[in-house]
Structure formats: C-alpha cells, structure tokens
Amino acid sequence: MFFGFQAWLGFKTRRLQRQLTNTSYNFLFAPPPEQEWVSLDCETTGLDRKKDHIITIAAVKIVGTKIMSSERLNLTLCPLTALNPESIRIHRLREADVQDGLSPAEATEKLLNFIGARPLVGYNIKFDQDMINRLIQPIIGIKLPNKVIDVAPMFHDFRSKQLGQGDIDLSFKTIINTLNLPIWAAHDAYNDALMTALIFLSLQNKNK
C-alpha cells in the first residue's frame, strides 16, 4: 500500500500520541504558532550520546524577525555522573555550580512547557536533540516530536549560491564571522542559543 507524505506524517503523529505516557504533554502535537521558533543549546558532561548527560539547557523564542530575549529559558541540571575535568575546562561549570540543579523530571517539565510545539533551531542540532531525547523519553515515553532546523546546512546552501561548488567551512565561528554577527563567550548555552537565533534570522533574511 502506498502512503503519501501527509498520510505517513499523520500515522507517525498518532503513533507517538499513543506512546505518550503523560497526556498533559499533548500540546506537543498542537499546530505550532505561525512564524515562531525556539533556538536552543545544551552543555553536557561530554560528547558521548549514550553515556553523557545534560548539565545546562538554554532556549530563546524567535517570533517573526525578532528574538524575544525576555522570553528565555536557562536551566541547570544536577548531572547523574561526576563531571570530568575536560568538560569543566570547556563549559567552566564545576560540581559546586550544578549540585543543586534540577532533576530530569523538573527540567523536562520546564523545557517542554517553554518550547511547546514550536520548531527547534540549533547548530548541529542533532546532538542536542539526541541528548534531550535521552532526558525526556524515560519521563514522557516519546522523543521530541518537534520539527528541527539546523543552521549549518542553511549556511551551506547560502554559501554554495555565493561560491559555487567546493569545501565550505561550517564551523560556528566562521558562520558568525561571515554573517558579521556579534560573538559572545562560547560554550555558554544561553550565548550559543542567542547567537544561533541571530544566524537563523540572518540566513532567512538573505534567502528571501
């Protein structure tokens, strides 16, 4: 039997709704508000998606062409494992900074109520998406159903139109510099979410 894309999407959504173990999160399947997105970033205890844990999540809403910096989310989680020295060197968060952080259930509630059904924007967002799914799936039974948008391939498409074929540097710093956007301290989840929101809006404007 042949399913069109919309039929397949409807089937997938209904299956996820049946798997949802907490119906108070049914709003994740509502139509998202028009022209609204959420830019987010996570800092973690490491880069192993199967072993490491989130220690901070930051997100900021984007409405139309504006970044709603007053509508921000900045969560610190108490990690389930000890921080390793290498990760401390990168994100500069010590055990003492996170020991009073939120539990996974508390963080899940705050995060999902903030993002709602909005599409999520990020840089290399698959990593953040995987880490968030590890956090929330044991609590609500499903992975994030939200649409995700990665600014790295958006930048690749933009530069390909300018430069034609060839290697394109997709590092975060290069993207920021090429688009003449402000740089704030890296490996701070809120700074990274805010800079990613700026990249998203800049590329949207250039692709009009």
Side-chain angles (χ1 to χ4, degrees), residues 33-41 57-64 66-75 110-116 118-120 189-190 193-194 197:
E34 289 287 332
Q35 294 293 302
E36 291 194 23
W37 303 266
V38 171
S39 174
L40 63 76
D41 185 78
I57 305 174
V60 61
K61 290 180 183 174
I62 305 167
V63 179
K66 296 181 179 178
I67 298 171
M68 312 303 286
S69 57
S70 60
E71 296 186 37
R72 66 171 73 177
L73 183 77
N74 212 338
L75 305 178
K110 290 180 182 295
L111 174 66
L112 297 185
N113 278 292
F114 184 83
I115 65 178
R118 296 171 182 83
L120 306 177
Y190 181 67
L194 195 55

Side-chain angles (χ1 to χ4, degrees), residues 132-146:
I132 290 172
N133 284 337
R134 275 197 65 215
L135 173 74
I136 71 168
Q137 191 168 18
I139 298 166
I140 69 169
I142 62 170
K143 298 178 180 178
L144 277 175
N146 304 59

Side-chain angles (χ1 to χ4, degrees), residues 40-109:
L40 63 76
D41 185 78
C42 302
E43 295 298 323
T44 63
T45 56
L47 298 177
D48 190 322
R49 301 172 197 224
K50 295 182 179 178
K51 296 180 180 177
D52 286 309
H53 301 279
I54 295 173
I55 50 176
T56 58
I57 305 174
V60 61
K61 290 180 183 174
I62 305 167
V63 179
T65 59
K66 296 181 179 178
I67 298 171
M68 312 303 286
S69 57
S70 60
E71 296 186 37
R72 66 171 73 177
L73 183 77
N74 212 338
L75 305 178
T76 300
L77 285 73
C78 184
L80 301 178
T81 56
L83 301 181
N84 67 61
E86 180 63 19
S87 71
I88 294 173
R89 188 183 65 79
I90 293 171
H91 49 61
R92 300 177 297 280
L93 290 170
R94 306 157 301 162
E95 297 279 357
D97 298 318
V98 299
Q99 64 181 3
D100 295 325
L102 300 173
S103 69
E106 291 170 328
T108 294
E109 181 183 3

